[in-house]
Amino acid sequence: MTATDKARKTNTANATKTQKSHVKALDKCISYNEKLRLMVLEVLREESGRELANEARFNGGEFDWETHNAQFRADYSETPLKELMRAARTLYGLTDMDAIRDRRTKHRGIRNERIARNEVGANSSSQYLDSDADVDDDIDDLE
């Protein structure tokens, strides 16, 4: 077998592998129900973090948002939507998806205000220290 034949076989094998591994764009997207589950998960993460941060502040303690976020996601990342909705209703009075969406909108508004204050503070050379949660929003566009 010549080097050309080996190269041709390798190229054919690589092309076949590429064709088999092709996944259509919509097949890469998560389902609507999974998006809802993630939204509820993030609302609960934010609500619980705010509650625990307020409790720590009231008791003169410190609250680490990064630790909370990591631990919360590790604890609840596989929790089914039904259980998350039950927790939202029981702990925070969020009885349906509309209430969850409203709370998510509120969280986004607070985040946007904090970012705007930080930008103004950075432009005026004064550093704004945020007492709210330093939250990363992975699923901003669910509405």
Side-chain angles (χ1 to χ4, degrees):
M1 181 178 282
T2 66
T4 307
D5 290 335
K6 286 182 181 178
R8 189 176 301 126
K9 283 186 177 183
T10 301
N11 289 340
T12 303
N14 288 342
T16 303
K17 228 183 244 185
T18 302
Q19 289 170 352
K20 287 181 182 178
S21 66
H22 174 75
V23 179
K24 293 180 180 180
L26 290 177
D27 293 339
K28 295 177 185 178
C29 298
I30 61 175
S31 71
Y32 181 70
N33 281 338
E34 180 62 8
K35 289 175 185 173
L36 292 177
R37 191 186 75 76
L38 291 173
M39 180 174 60
V40 174
L41 182 71
E42 290 304 304
V43 166
L44 286 172
R45 180 193 55 78
E46 178 76 13
E47 288 294 318
S48 63
R50 288 177 184 278
E51 180 178 339
L52 296 172
N54 287 337
E55 182 179 321
R57 194 170 22 253
F58 179 76
N59 293 325
E62 293 288 322
F63 181 76
D64 183 356
W65 271 97
E66 288 184 23
T67 301
H68 170 71
N69 291 343
Q71 184 65 52
F72 188 91
R73 288 182 178 130
D75 291 344
Y76 299 104
S77 65
E78 300 300 320
T79 304
L81 177 60
K82 188 174 183 176
E83 287 182 42
L84 294 173
M85 288 297 295
R86 186 178 310 121
R89 183 177 46 256
T90 303
L91 296 171
Y92 302 106
L94 303 171
T95 58
D96 58 21
M97 227 15 112
D98 288 335
I100 298 285
R101 282 186 184 96
D102 290 344
R103 191 64 56 96
R104 177 73 177 146
T105 300
K106 178 182 173 186
H107 293 164
R108 288 179 70 188
I110 291 168
R111 177 180 176 264
N112 290 340
E113 288 174 9
R114 185 180 67 244
I115 289 169
R117 286 191 306 256
N118 286 339
E119 288 174 356
V120 168
N123 290 337
S124 67
S125 299
S126 66
Q127 188 64 21
Y128 174 78
L129 297 176
D130 186 16
S131 61
D132 287 339
D134 184 18
V135 180
D136 58 77
D137 289 310
D138 297 331
I139 53 172
D140 277 344
D141 297 323
L142 290 179
E143 282 87 22

